[in-house]
Amino acid sequence: VPSGAYSGGMKRRLSLMLAFLGSPSVVYLDEPTTGMDPVTRRHVWDIIEEAKAGRCIVLTTHSMEEADLLGDSLAVMDKGKLQAQGTSMELKNTYGSGYGLSCVKSSGDVPSAPIIKLVTGSVEGAKLKTDIGAEISFALPIEQSTAFPALFRKMESDSTLGLATFGLTQTSLEEVFLNLAEQNEHSADTTAEARAKTEVDNP
């Protein structure tokens, strides 16, 4: 089949294989999975992960999931400028919003107040995010992680709370990128205001 007759996703897979021909020590991949269906994308990720051994792969992507899965060292760019660099964990700890605690009550009739009181009283800085139906979610600061085990033990042992289950998640790279973009936007606005004030003071 002529390569020009392939679909966009097939062309990208062909380009990927061509990039690895000859076992090069350095490979550049520019958004290698764009246009692929989820199953094929997952397969290509496995190929790239296996191909990392013994070589340097520089990969650009708009998919935060892809970056999180494949990147040993990540660099975040916004408007053509480098905003941050480090491992996934380092970026999440530095620029993330902490941890997310999701609680599911055994029914929508279970009162939320005791659960909210327990979480906010056990973890300093804990904030209620949502309380809808049988689900409650909180934002927990990273620096208070040492208080989590005691909180979880109370949540597991106290049957009067009416909890069916709960889970803890870390900040996603998507949130990290959005936080960095917001900081950059704020910095740009501040710079523009300062420049405007300087022009007014010194016409």
Side-chain angles (χ1 to χ4, degrees):
V1 177
S3 60
Y6 280 140
S7 65
M10 284 294 291
K11 286 179 180 178
R12 286 193 176 275
R13 278 191 276 180
L14 178 60
S15 295
L16 183 71
M17 294 304 100
L18 289 172
F20 287 113
L21 282 178
S23 298
S25 57
V26 180
V27 177
Y28 292 89
L29 302 177
D30 183 20
E31 299 188 33
T33 61
T34 299
M36 294 183 184
D37 62 85
V39 175
T40 303
R41 184 181 300 118
R42 177 74 242 191
H43 179 58
V44 169
W45 287 349
D46 290 340
I47 292 174
I48 295 174
E49 183 65 34
E50 185 178 342
K52 283 164 58 175
R55 62 170 53 88
C56 172
I57 297 179
V58 180
L59 184 149
T60 65
T61 180
H62 281 92
S63 168
M64 296 300 104
E65 183 184 8
E66 183 168 272
D68 202 358
L69 181 70
L70 297 176
D72 297 316
S73 178
L74 307 177
V76 180
M77 296 188 70
D78 182 44
K79 296 181 180 178
K81 293 185 179 180
L82 183 67
Q83 301 299 318
Q85 184 175 3
T87 65
S88 175
M89 188 63 69
E90 288 171 345
L91 293 178
K92 289 176 180 178
N93 288 340
T94 305
Y95 303 100
S97 306
Y99 291 92
L101 175 63
S102 300
C103 304
V104 180
K105 298 182 287 186
S106 54
S107 73
D109 298 329
V110 173
S112 300
I115 301 172
I116 296 173
K117 182 179 179 181
L118 173 63
V119 175
T120 55
S122 301
V123 180
E124 184 179 351
K127 296 180 180 179
L128 176 67
K129 290 178 64 180
T130 60
D131 181 6
I132 303 172
E135 297 186 8
I136 310 176
S137 65
F138 301 87
L140 308 180
I142 292 176
E143 57 271 16
Q144 295 297 320
S145 58
T146 54
F148 295 175
L151 169 64
F152 297 157
R153 283 193 290 269
K154 291 178 184 176
M155 294 174 72
E156 288 178 335
S157 62
D158 193 347
S159 58
T160 62
L161 293 173
L163 281 174
T165 184
F166 63 88
L168 188 72
T169 58
Q170 192 182 25
T171 295
S172 66
L173 270 184
E174 189 75 36
E175 291 177 276
V176 169
F177 182 81
L178 292 174
N179 288 342
L180 284 167
E182 185 177 344
Q183 289 179 22
N184 188 39
E185 194 69 32
H186 176 71
S187 176
D189 290 343
T190 302
T191 302
E193 289 176 7
R195 186 181 298 113
K197 185 177 184 303
T198 301
E199 291 174 352
V200 171
D201 294 340
N202 304 285

